[in-house]
Amino acid sequence: MNILILGGGGREHALAWAVMQNPKCDKLIVAPGNAGIAQIATCASLEIDNGGAVVRFCDEEAIDFVIIGPEAPLAAGVADRLREAGFHVFGPSQAAARLEASKHFTKEICDAANAPTAGYAHFTDAEAAKAYIRAQGAPIVVKADGLAAGKGVIVAMDEATALEAVDDMFGGGFGDAGAEVVIEEFMQGEEASFFLLCDGQTVLPIGTAQDHKRVGEGDTGLNTGGMGAYSPAPVLSPEVAQRALDEIIQPTMDEMARRGMPYQGVLYAGLMIENGAPRLVEYNVRFGDPECQVLMMRLGAQALDLMLAAAEGRLYKEQVNWAEDHAMTVVMAAKGYPGAYDKGSVIQGLESLPATSSQMVFHAGTKEVDGQITASGGRVLNVTARGDTLADAQARAYEMVDAIDWPEGFCRRDIGWRAL
Ligand code: AMP
Ligand code: GLY
């Protein structure tokens, strides 16, 4: 079958890598792709948030199945346009993508589904929001309602920070995303991510992961999109995962179906776990990046069969074949990230690295220039390895990191420390 993947980061490189291992894949196109993806698939330039353009491209290229990587095309309704045109699609409808695109919507769904999450209130007016913060006190969490590229959440440890965040959001600091604000109770505990496939009805867990959001070692410094991840997440034990499924995820999926917006695709549940009890922090309607990289390394070729089953409504027949293994990915970023950084530096040493089912360098932000791989983004490489233990996976990942010659890049040396 002919497959199109939308996106061009490390997540999409990992998806492409897993899909290519499955003999069902005859032709794979990734749009826009990147220099690493170009080594295993065809890259195409395409306006991926434009449903009409994507449908035309699929007609021209005789595509059978489309996998949507990032949230923006989902929030723009690209999955709906493709389904209307008769294509099989992995990714939720625009209506169902509101589980990520609107924090207020997700809170309402949790209320209706009786799913444990932080207490909250919702505001469209700064003065009312501030009065609520003064009444509740700190710590407290202020969130822009809409998509804000991961920047719309302020965890305020004191009242002044929370009040300032409200002014900032209603003052337009987060664009349209901040026109509505959700204020939440601060939750204590350990965070972990739970990934599930859904076909509108059946829910199938496909793995757990934890990531490191802070740029500095020991989880210090500025927030990033993620500096590394590992799977499985020890805190999401089988018992805790089952509780999350029974108390949070299945009721959410049932409520979505009841509202006429059944959820199809991957659901990424961010959970806070305290004393063995999970509560929902947020949903994302896509794979995490870099969490996808460790999940794909563990799932391999079966990932395509599972995604197809989700798209075609036959997940009830599927099961995941788990290896009792661990995977880790270390993000190599351009010096300066998540602040200002230079683009265009040359990365050497990649050709001599293994590219196997247990060691892969996924490219997140690279471009080929005159036959050389150069950095074209903040997060640039995802050095990923698998092992019988997390320590094995970590040793293998850093072995590859050490063989990469890129003076303009950096990484954290402590990925996985909480679990090790
Ligand atoms: P979100 O974009 O909703 O995942 O929020 C980003 C991060 O803020 C989460 O990964 C948590 O670390 C933190 N966070 C969000 N909501 C809460 C909450 N209610 N209590 C504590 N931490 C939170
Ligand atoms: N790594 C966090 C995310 O993809 O949202």
Side-chain angles (χ1 to χ4, degrees):
M1 72 175 20
N2 298 336
I3 298 172
L4 170 67
I5 297 177
L6 301 184
R11 167 179 50 209
E12 289 76 22
H13 190 180
L15 289 168
W17 174 81
V19 162
M20 282 302 287
Q21 289 175 41
N22 192 309
K24 287 196 187 77
C25 178
D26 297 310
K27 170 169 101 170
L28 177 63
I29 303 179
V30 185
N34 63 38
I37 296 172
Q39 292 168 358
I40 60 169
T42 304
C43 294
S45 81
L46 175 61
E47 238 186 292
I48 66 169
D49 295 344
N50 177 337
V54 176
V55 167
R56 276 192 297 283
F57 184 85
C58 289
D59 279 330
E60 284 160 17
E61 296 290 340
I63 297 295
D64 302 296
F65 183 45
V66 183
I67 299 168
I68 303 182
E71 63 274 20
L74 296 167
V78 171
D80 306 69
R81 298 295 89 70
L82 284 163
R83 285 199 188 97
E84 284 156 19
F87 294 101
H88 289 296
V89 189
F90 182 76
S93 66
Q94 185 170 36
R98 289 186 72 207
L99 281 179
E100 176 165 357
S102 168
K103 310 248 184 228
H104 182 208
F105 174 78
T106 298
K107 287 300 204 181
E108 275 182 2
I109 295 281
C110 285
D111 285 346
N114 214 2
T117 182
Y120 77 105
H122 158 256
F123 299 93
T124 51
D125 161 84
E127 283 320 307
K130 288 202 235 176
Y132 180 79
I133 288 169
R134 290 195 189 96
Q136 296 289 317
I140 196 157
V141 183
V142 182
K143 299 186 173 185
D145 180 70
L147 290 179
K151 295 186 182 73
V153 175
I154 308 293
V155 180
M157 298 317 287
D158 57 76
E159 216 174 284
T161 307
L163 296 173
E164 206 178 297
V166 165
D167 280 331
D168 207 18
M169 285 177 193
F170 285 113
F174 295 85
D176 290 345
E180 284 187 47
V181 166
V182 169
I183 301 182
E184 276 186 18
E185 166 201 356
F186 174 79
M187 291 189 286
Q188 306 250 353
E190 188 169 349
E191 267 187 278
S193 305
F194 194 13
F195 293 87
L196 308 107
L197 298 188
C198 308
D199 64 5
Q201 202 168 2
T202 302
V203 180
L204 183 69
I206 55 159
T208 64
Q210 267 171 304
D211 78 339
H212 294 267
K213 288 213 166 66
R214 303 295 184 129
V215 72
E217 279 160 23
D219 294 323
T220 56
L222 292 173
N223 243 335
T224 71
M227 294 301 293
Y230 51 95
S231 171
V235 64
L236 264 173
S237 64
E239 297 73 34
V240 176
Q242 191 62 47
R243 274 190 73 168
L245 186 59
D246 295 342
E247 296 171 16
I248 302 174
I249 293 107
Q250 189 69 56
T252 301
M253 295 295 94
D254 293 345
E255 177 64 17
M256 295 295 284
R258 201 185 63 74
R259 292 187 183 206
M261 44 180 93
Y263 189 94
Q264 285 181 305
V266 61
L267 186 70
Y268 160 1
L271 302 171
M272 188 72 83
I273 296 121
E274 193 185 19
N275 302 326
R279 288 204 278 171
L280 183 76
V281 178
E282 61 160 358
Y283 284 125
N284 292 300
V285 300
R286 50 172 175 86
F287 282 108
D289 188 345
E291 292 88 337
C292 185
Q293 289 77 318
V294 285
L295 294 174
M296 288 305 128
M297 179 146 273
R298 294 186 64 210
L299 290 171
Q302 66 181 318
L304 174 60
D305 299 316
L306 296 170
M307 289 189 282
L308 270 171
E312 293 171 3
R314 43 181 182 76
L315 270 183
Y316 68 95
K317 290 190 206 156
E318 293 291 325
Q319 59 177 43
V320 181
N321 295 313
W322 303 105
E324 294 296 318
D325 59 352
H326 297 256
M328 180 178 293
T329 188
V330 177
V331 172
M332 295 185 79
K335 281 181 184 163
Y337 174 81
Y341 53 83
D342 290 331
K343 292 185 184 179
S345 55
V346 174
I347 304 166
Q348 279 170 324
L350 292 172
E351 31 333 290
S352 59
L353 292 177
T356 66
S357 61
S358 56
Q359 280 184 297
M360 267 303 294
V361 177
F362 296 118
H363 291 218
T366 61
K367 196 172 155 187
E368 193 182 318
V369 178
D370 300 331
Q372 289 187 302
I373 302 292
T374 66
S376 65
R379 293 190 294 170
V380 175
L381 299 172
N382 307 137
V383 183
T384 310
R386 189 155 76 134
D388 290 338
T389 64
L390 187 59
D392 289 343
Q394 187 191 46
R396 282 196 181 135
Y398 282 110
E399 218 171 82
M400 292 195 287
V401 166
D402 291 337
I404 293 171
D405 178 11
W406 181 33
E408 293 83 0
F410 77 99
C411 69
R412 279 180 58 168
R413 300 291 316 188
D414 65 344
I415 300 305
W417 69 272
R418 265 179 220 280
L420 293 161

